[in-house]
Amino acid sequence: MKAALGHAYAKSQKKDEANKILGELNELSKQQYVSPYEVATIYVALGDNEQAFQSLEKAYAEHSFHLVNLNVSPQFKSVRSDPRFPDLVQRLGLSR
């Protein structure tokens, strides 16, 4: 839920609040699992594609089940033109 809030802040142009949530998630990840896929949604909404793809690669390495939605999730629409996106989709076996 915290990641969803961070995404909402980022989409609402409340970058400071979104970054605060990212910091909280980073700290929380030291104690429990935090989905890198969900973290990536915040970075995408902030326009930080580099960090978004780092998080997506981590999700890929962890075999995150969330990645099955990557191709259809509206949260990732803005990065679909990035060359890393189709590469990841292909590695996931989601390409047509």
Side-chain angles (χ1 to χ4, degrees):
M1 293 310 297
K2 192 173 285 274
L5 179 60
H7 180 259
Y9 280 144
K11 291 297 280 184
S12 300
Q13 302 302 308
K14 296 181 178 181
K15 293 184 178 194
D16 290 340
E17 290 90 339
N19 282 312
K20 181 180 177 192
I21 295 289
L22 283 168
E24 291 173 9
L25 290 171
N26 184 45
E27 285 301 311
L28 186 61
S29 73
K30 295 174 184 175
Q31 300 167 3
Q32 67 186 51
Y33 179 75
V34 173
S35 168
Y37 177 92
E38 297 297 334
V39 170
T41 66
I42 301 171
Y43 283 122
V44 168
L46 286 170
D48 189 343
N49 293 353
E50 191 59 41
Q51 289 294 322
F53 278 99
Q54 285 183 19
S55 292
L56 287 172
E57 287 296 336
K58 184 175 180 186
Y60 177 79
E62 294 177 357
H63 305 284
S64 173
F65 74 92
H66 289 101
L67 289 170
V68 299
N69 298 314
L70 188 64
N71 238 358
V72 296
S73 174
Q75 296 168 320
F76 293 99
K77 183 178 182 181
S78 67
V79 295
R80 289 192 180 125
S81 61
D82 188 297
R84 295 171 287 190
F85 190 86
D87 174 64
L88 181 56
V89 167
Q90 183 177 6
R91 286 185 284 138
L92 288 164
L94 299 175
S95 59
R96 295 179 187 194

